[in-house]
Amino acid sequence: MAATTISSSLIGRDEELSTLMAAVHEADAGRPTLAFVAGESGVGKSRLLSEFTRRAREEAGAKVLSGECVELGDGELPYAPLVGALRPLVRAGDPGLLELPAQARFELGALLPGLAEEGAGSPGNGGGSAESERRSQAQSRLFEALLAALDRLARDVPVVLIIEDVHWADRSTRDFLSFLGRNLADERVLVAMSYRPDELHRRHPLRPLLAVLERTPQARRIELRGLRPEDVRAMAVELTGHEPSAEQVERLIRRSDGNALFVEELLAAGPGPLPPSLADALMVRVERLPPGAQEVVRVLSVAQPADHPLLEALAIVDDATLRAALRDAIAGHVVAVDHSDRYVFRHVLLREVVYDDLLPGERSDLHLAVARALESKLPGDGGPGLAAAVAHHFHRAGDQPQALRSAILAADAAVAAHAEADAAQFLERALELWERVVEPEALTDPSHIDHVDLLMRTSRAHRNTDDARRATLINEALREARAQDPDDPRVPVLLQQRAMAEWGLGRGEASRASLDLARRLLADDAPIEQRISLTISRMKLATLQSRYGETTALAEEVLPQLPEGRDGEILRSETYNNFGLALIMTDRHEEGVAALRESTEIATRVEDYVLLGIAFVNLADALQLSGLPREAREVTEEGLRKVEDNVPGRAWLPTMAAELAIDRGDYDDAAAYLRRTGRTSGNTRVNVELRRAELALCRGDDDVARDLIEEVEALLVDSLEPQFVAVAGVLRAEIDRRSGHPVGAREAVESALERLEFCSDDTVRLGRLALTGVAVEADVAQRARDLGDASAEADAIARAGVMLSRAEAAAAAGRPLESAYHASARAQMLRACGQDPGDAWTVAAARWEALDRPLAVAVALWRAAEACLARGRRDGAAEAAGTAVAGARRLGAAWLVSELEGLIARARLTVEPGSDGGGAVAGGAAGADGADAGDGAEDDPFGLTPRERQVLTLVARGATNREIGAELFMAEKTASVHVSRILAKLDVRSRTEAAAVAHRLGLTSA
């Protein structure tokens, strides 16, 4: 006879429990951790987390918050686990939440009604485009508030946040987990998540998130496998009260595969033959309950999770019978009470088999009854989950009119909770139901929306997730609106929304055209706020594409129209942000700096710290691109002081600081700034990863740079922003150049130019791309010359000339950076043509020196040393190489140090760098008298004998060892020995490299 039907102790999970407890202690020491508990259903994830909860509280003094993701079959409850974890604290008046700043409580009030102070509001609720952007930033503010809450709760004791069944997590919850993974720094927080790997199909939305989070340094993955035979035996002893036979243990292992729940259920089925299926084994427990309890369990399979008032409202049985039935279900280990005093099934599989056992009509009736009972609680303190649950049950009940109405209300609740991705799912459902319902507009009371409005709302809900779907919905709405009324006032608004979707899809020209059309179609009597919103949207697109002339004209147009008051101030700050950048980049420097300074002052005055951060970044960026790195650094440091870490978008400031540090050659400083960005998303992530890739290339970590660039390229497929596309093209080309893939480098430059050249005024980035293009073609031309391929050489020189003309055009205004790019491009062009560069490289080095770009200086001197050696000017070569290698070593540019040391070794230069890298002198083989090689001296810098120089001449012509032997009257084996010695003396790995060195340094005889 069984002693019990559920194990009271945790069996076989000591190692996993120890890992979780170690993570708690790490969190307590200020090292936050993400723990992932993975395992199939029933394997023991919840049991492990339950025991861990007890131990964390008793042994580590931790505050444990727990919530679970709820599976609705056709959708999820927005933020369900977060609401479930925090609601008990709100009800209990936890001081950790009540002591949060008023603004943080306001943001959390979207999820936890009652937390925000009466009358509190979010700052910066402006109109037009400003308000639209603030709504798009609302989720970021909510996430910052949630992180601040966790940090405050963990001030005295470590906090453990448990989220179960994240395979059912809604989009908004997944976004928050991604945010935590990027932003946890030193909070005393452990986030433990459980999920079923078998639920993660190839396109499951959790898969990419786990791929990122589980690779982070703070991640711990605990995979629960089946119990071992000794654990199964121990469980059988505990549950049955006696030692099982070896045959019984073997059968249990075979049937359960070590799954703890299955072992329990198979043992609970009692003596006799084992049930033919697991479902039968699970139903045995339910069928043993009294009839009243079975009825309540069937209702709970639809209503879970359900509190007592909900079950009472469903009027299944009278109150006394209900209480008795619930006691029986709990005693029978079918039902349990969760941490929020709601009734739930002890295991999800129990619910599944009971739900599947319902008759179709019975299931629909129960869903309808639950929907009505839950609707009576609206509005309540259930957050967005309550409205979502109502919509789910009406939908499952098959009541299409009510399903339509409740889906729209659930979308409203999701938007209010900054869960637009979840709102999109409800609105998509409403679109499906619209044509199936009679007079659907009447069901949308009190909003009274029509189909066009519904399409507009659905498109807005997709703005952060799916630009393609967003554009499709907007175009459909435009067709309908125009068909109903060509002068429909919603048309300009729809065109504005379409423009934003087109920009997200990389269709820059179409985006601008849509905005221009919207402005033309706007009625004369349209609200001024709408006209301002359209103009500012157009101005921002122009700025993003570096169309500075357009930006200036649009800013001058909109500034006189801006209203008074706080909303007008915010719009003015936004406008000056773009206007100032455009003015500086078009050589109206003082006006531009003044405009951007005015933007910072306004943003400070209205306490809009997001705008403040943008203003500092734009000002620093403009100063840097204008060749004023020291001023740019001062502005960036000011921004870092004034904009706090929790402000959305602040990562741009340390990234700007890192970019400046890379330019001035302070790579350790750059790495430190990049560590302060945390993990990011969207364009912020692109910007950060580009700087990490550039830093890796500067240091010589080419493999790291390649991985980062490939990641960025995937994010930039449709981008039209020069600040990203141009830099990515330059870095990709440099990686391919170093890897010996000049064709790939050429394609990277040409692709970037094609995307930007006819839609941007960004002369700095176009100049940088053009210089890279000339350098690539110089490599190709030089290689072709080495191989005697005249056709390839001519083609490369022609391509280099086209690129040089672009660099010249970019530098036409005489701006410092563009002029430096042009000077280097001119020197590279001479290298491509095989001509004596004269002082071209030293001129380029001087320009870069004036801009405090030491790596560019060292590269120019490296090329100058090569050019001197090719023409026998060994003293000049030694001086340039010595200065360059000293500079490269100071920077930590390992790749350039390697190139220069190889050059110095091959040419047998004697370099004696002083503190500034100067003082190099030329040397040679033993017995050399130091005379310039150009005066006909017989010394050879590589120590080649006259015979070896004859062999090298034939190698350079492409002769084989047999052909060399025949030409020089020696055995083929002797020729092979000579070739091996030549390769060793030249410090090269192949005959092709030997030929290249011979051509460049003039070592071959005529």
Side-chain angles (χ1 to χ4, degrees):
M1 180 176 178
T4 181
T5 56
I6 180 170
S7 175
S8 60
S9 60
L10 186 65
I11 295 174
R13 302 300 185 196
D14 293 344
E15 182 179 346
E16 292 87 349
L17 187 58
S18 296
T19 300
L20 287 171
M21 289 303 299
V24 172
H25 294 306
E26 286 187 21
D28 195 16
R31 298 189 297 275
T33 304
L34 303 175
F36 299 89
V37 181
E40 66 178 7
S41 179
V43 77
K45 301 185 297 297
S46 295
R47 184 73 185 85
L48 171 64
L49 290 174
S50 176
E51 178 63 18
F52 167 58
T53 295
R54 184 187 68 79
R55 292 270 300 273
R57 284 175 174 151
E58 294 178 1
E59 298 180 16
K63 176 175 288 188
V64 182
L65 315 175
S66 60
E68 61 182 14
C69 304
V70 180
E71 195 271 330
L72 295 181
D74 53 0
E76 303 91 12
L77 302 182
Y79 299 114
L82 303 178
V83 172
L86 294 174
R87 187 192 286 122
L89 299 183
V90 177
R91 291 175 175 170
D94 189 288
L97 293 181
L98 298 180
E99 292 172 8
L100 286 169
Q103 181 59 32
R105 295 202 304 278
F106 173 82
E107 299 296 346
L108 292 175
L111 294 186
L112 305 164
L115 183 61
E117 293 180 353
E118 188 70 25
S122 176
N125 290 330
S129 66
E131 169 61 10
S132 175
E133 289 200 10
R134 273 157 186 75
R135 281 200 300 267
S136 71
Q137 295 165 357
Q139 190 177 67
S140 295
R141 295 197 303 270
L142 172 63
F143 289 174
E144 294 288 354
L146 285 165
L147 182 57
L150 291 175
D151 187 29
R152 179 61 188 85
L153 292 168
R155 190 164 298 173
D156 300 319
V157 294
V159 166
V160 176
L161 173 61
I162 294 176
I163 301 179
E164 296 201 57
D165 298 322
V166 291
H167 51 276
W168 287 331
D170 61 284
R171 169 63 183 266
S172 300
T173 298
R174 294 195 302 270
D175 287 344
F176 176 65
L177 294 176
S178 176
F179 171 86
L180 277 185
R182 297 191 306 271
N183 291 281
L184 282 174
D186 55 5
E187 296 83 359
R188 300 165 67 199
V189 174
L190 163 63
V191 183
M193 294 161 275
S194 69
Y195 70 93
R196 302 184 201 168
D198 51 304
E199 291 277 351
L200 305 184
H201 53 77
R202 186 166 58 89
R203 295 184 179 178
H204 195 289
L206 187 65
R207 288 179 69 95
L209 176 60
L210 289 176
V212 173
L213 293 183
E214 289 188 348
R215 291 202 303 265
T216 60
Q218 65 265 43
R220 302 288 184 275
R221 190 174 191 276
I222 300 169
E223 187 167 359
L224 296 187
R225 303 189 181 278
L227 297 173
R228 298 168 297 180
E230 57 268 30
D231 300 326
V232 173
R233 180 182 296 278
M235 183 175 287
V237 170
E238 180 178 353
L239 294 178
T240 65
H242 59 78
E243 186 74 26
S245 66
E247 181 184 0
Q248 185 181 13
V249 172
E250 191 278 329
R251 281 190 299 151
L252 284 170
I253 293 171
R254 185 175 70 250
R255 293 298 305 276
S256 70
D257 201 24
N259 184 292
L261 175 69
F262 298 173
V263 172
E264 288 182 355
E265 295 301 330
L266 291 170
L267 287 168
L274 293 175
S277 71
L278 175 62
D280 291 338
L282 292 170
M283 282 301 293
V284 165
R285 188 185 295 275
V286 177
E287 290 168 352
R288 286 178 174 173
L289 297 175
Q294 290 190 43
E295 182 64 23
V296 170
V297 165
R298 281 193 287 272
V299 173
L300 190 61
S301 73
V302 171
Q304 176 183 309
D307 56 19
H308 201 83
L310 175 59
L311 293 178
E312 286 181 322
L314 293 173
I316 316 159
V317 291
D318 62 78
D319 190 51
T321 305
L322 175 62
R323 293 178 186 278
L326 287 168
R327 290 184 185 279
D328 289 334
I330 292 170
H333 302 295
V334 173
V335 171
V337 179
D338 71 5
H339 62 279
S340 296
D341 293 333
R342 299 174 301 180
Y343 299 107
V344 295
F345 279 84
R346 188 177 65 81
H347 195 278
V348 66
L349 290 179
L350 279 166
R351 181 193 184 191
E352 290 175 8
V353 296
V354 175
Y355 186 84
D356 291 342
D357 195 54
L358 294 173
L359 297 172
E362 181 183 22
R363 189 180 298 140
S364 298
D365 289 345
L366 284 172
H367 275 295
L368 188 59
V370 172
R372 289 170 176 165
L374 289 173
E375 191 172 37
S376 68
K377 301 168 68 174
L378 289 173
D381 65 352
L386 182 59
V390 172
H392 161 72
H393 287 293
F394 272 128
H395 187 57
R396 282 299 181 91
D399 187 333
Q400 293 186 340
Q402 294 305 314
L404 170 62
R405 182 184 62 83
S406 60
I408 293 173
L409 292 175
D412 289 341
V415 169
H418 316 315
E420 288 194 335
D422 299 284
Q425 295 185 17
F426 291 115
L427 292 170
E428 290 283 5
R429 182 192 299 168
L431 286 173
E432 291 177 8
L433 293 168
W434 191 270
E435 300 298 332
R436 305 177 193 172
V437 173
V438 178
E439 297 183 0
E441 292 90 347
L443 295 167
T444 63
D445 183 71
S447 54
H448 293 296
I449 65 173
D450 63 9
H451 195 243
V452 173
D453 293 324
L454 182 59
L455 288 166
M456 289 176 67
R457 292 181 61 181
T458 310
S459 72
R460 279 198 298 269
H462 279 297
R463 63 185 165 191
N464 293 324
T465 55
D466 190 344
D467 283 318
R469 177 60 177 159
R470 183 184 177 194
T472 299
L473 291 166
I474 294 169
N475 284 329
E476 186 178 343
L478 275 169
R479 285 193 296 271
E480 286 191 25
R482 285 168 168 163
Q484 294 170 12
D485 178 4
D487 297 323
D488 191 321
R490 292 173 296 185
V491 168
V493 178
L494 283 164
L495 287 168
Q496 183 181 19
Q497 290 188 20
R498 186 173 75 178
M500 297 303 101
E502 288 167 336
W503 177 262
L505 293 169
R507 298 166 57 192
E509 292 299 327
S511 178
R512 284 193 301 276
S514 291
L515 276 177
D516 289 340
L517 179 58
R519 296 175 75 204
R520 289 198 301 273
L521 294 179
L522 194 65
D524 293 338
D525 59 351
I528 186 64
E529 292 82 9
Q530 194 172 357
R531 187 173 301 279
I532 290 171
S533 175
L534 284 168
T535 305
I536 289 179
S537 292
R538 185 70 177 81
M539 177 187 65
K540 288 180 177 179
L541 288 192
T543 304
L544 287 172
Q545 282 194 287
S546 303
R547 289 175 172 255
Y548 301 123
E550 287 183 26
T551 299
T552 300
L554 290 164
E556 290 172 341
E557 174 187 333
V558 79
L559 280 169
Q561 304 174 21
L562 297 180
E564 298 297 324
R566 189 175 189 283
D567 291 348
E569 287 280 82
I570 290 171
L571 292 172
R572 194 174 307 278
S573 180
E574 282 189 294
T575 303
Y576 279 139
N577 247 328
N578 295 271
F579 190 30
L581 177 64
L583 289 172
I584 292 175
M585 297 308 296
T586 51
D587 295 323
R588 294 167 64 181
H589 186 83
E590 291 184 4
E591 294 175 75
V593 171
L596 281 163
R597 280 296 181 188
E598 178 69 13
S599 179
T600 64
E601 291 172 11
I602 294 172
T604 302
R605 190 162 58 244
V606 300
E607 297 183 340
D608 192 321
Y609 296 105
V610 173
L611 273 177
L612 182 62
I614 294 170
F616 277 125
V617 169
N618 282 352
L619 179 54
D621 190 41
L623 291 170
Q624 178 214 24
L625 296 178
S626 298
L628 299 168
R630 291 176 180 82
E631 292 87 338
R633 185 178 183 182
E634 291 171 1
V635 168
T636 305
E637 290 173 349
E638 182 184 354
L640 288 168
R641 289 193 303 271
K642 292 185 176 179
V643 181
E644 296 182 358
D645 290 347
N646 62 351
V647 173
R650 191 201 187 254
W652 284 77
L653 278 165
T655 308
M656 185 76 244
E659 183 177 350
L660 293 169
I662 291 170
D663 287 345
R664 68 175 180 270
D666 193 341
Y667 300 153
D668 290 341
D669 229 17
Y673 279 121
L674 289 172
R675 284 194 293 272
R676 293 172 60 183
T677 62
R679 291 191 175 272
T680 50
S681 59
N683 282 350
T684 308
R685 178 184 170 196
V686 169
N687 192 34
V688 171
E689 299 307 315
L690 279 174
R691 301 311 152 202
R692 288 192 171 123
E694 187 167 15
L695 176 60
L697 269 178
C698 289
R699 284 176 156 170
D701 299 330
D702 292 1
D703 291 340
V704 172
R706 183 179 292 104
D707 290 343
L708 290 167
I709 282 296
E710 287 174 357
E711 187 176 338
V712 167
E713 286 172 337
L715 298 171
L716 289 179
V717 171
D718 298 315
S719 177
L720 295 172
E721 297 186 42
Q723 62 177 328
F724 301 140
V725 174
V727 176
V730 166
L731 299 183
R732 164 56 74 183
E734 181 62 20
I735 290 170
D736 286 346
R737 284 182 65 202
R738 293 188 194 177
S739 303
H741 301 296
V743 174
R746 172 188 287 167
E747 290 174 352
V749 172
E750 291 179 347
S751 174
L753 284 169
E754 184 178 346
R755 290 165 70 176
L756 301 178
E757 194 166 28
F758 301 106
C759 64
S760 174
D761 302 329
D762 194 330
T763 53
V764 174
R765 273 112 185 183
L766 290 174
R768 186 179 181 186
L769 269 172
L771 164 59
T772 304
V774 180
V776 168
E777 299 306 335
D779 289 347
V780 175
Q782 189 168 275
R783 172 75 169 168
R785 222 170 10 256
D786 292 341
L787 299 177
D789 189 338
S791 175
E793 180 186 1
D795 177 66
I797 291 172
R799 290 174 181 270
V802 172
M803 290 292 176
L804 179 61
S805 67
R806 289 186 169 105
E808 289 172 349
R815 290 167 55 84
L817 261 178
E818 291 91 325
S819 297
Y821 287 132
H822 176 229
S824 288
R826 178 176 170 274
Q828 291 282 10
M829 184 69 204
L830 294 169
R831 183 168 75 93
C833 296
Q835 297 176 7
D836 188 341
D839 65 350
W841 283 118
T842 54
V843 168
R847 289 193 181 274
W848 290 120
E849 183 72 38
L851 291 168
D852 194 21
R853 301 279 185 105
L855 182 61
V857 172
V859 169
L861 292 176
W862 165 39
R863 295 302 186 186
E866 283 186 331
C868 285
L869 278 174
R871 286 154 187 85
R873 296 193 288 267
R874 295 179 53 75
D875 287 336
E879 182 178 357
T883 305
V885 77
R889 285 172 181 151
R890 280 196 302 271
L891 291 171
W895 70 275
L896 185 54
V897 171
S898 177
E899 292 281 3
L900 285 160
E901 287 179 343
L903 177 69
I904 291 166
R906 285 192 297 270
R908 301 295 176 90
L909 295 175
T910 301
V911 174
E912 299 175 358
S915 60
D916 62 351
V921 297
D929 60 8
D932 192 299
D935 65 3
E938 294 297 324
D939 60 300
D940 187 298
F942 294 91
L944 297 176
T945 66
R947 192 63 161 169
E948 285 169 348
R949 290 184 67 134
Q950 290 178 321
V951 171
L952 180 57
T953 298
L954 295 175
V955 167
R957 295 175 185 170
T960 65
N961 289 343
R962 178 174 295 180
E963 290 168 341
I964 292 170
E967 178 79 14
L968 299 179
F969 304 101
M970 65 176 65
E972 182 179 349
K973 185 175 181 180
T974 303
S976 175
V977 171
H978 277 302
V979 170
S980 296
R981 288 175 177 169
I982 290 169
L983 297 182
K985 289 182 178 182
L986 296 182
D987 191 23
V988 296
R989 291 167 293 182
S990 68
R991 297 164 69 98
T992 302
E993 290 183 35
V997 170
H999 277 299
R1000 293 174 201 172
L1001 303 185
L1003 299 179
T1004 54
S1005 57

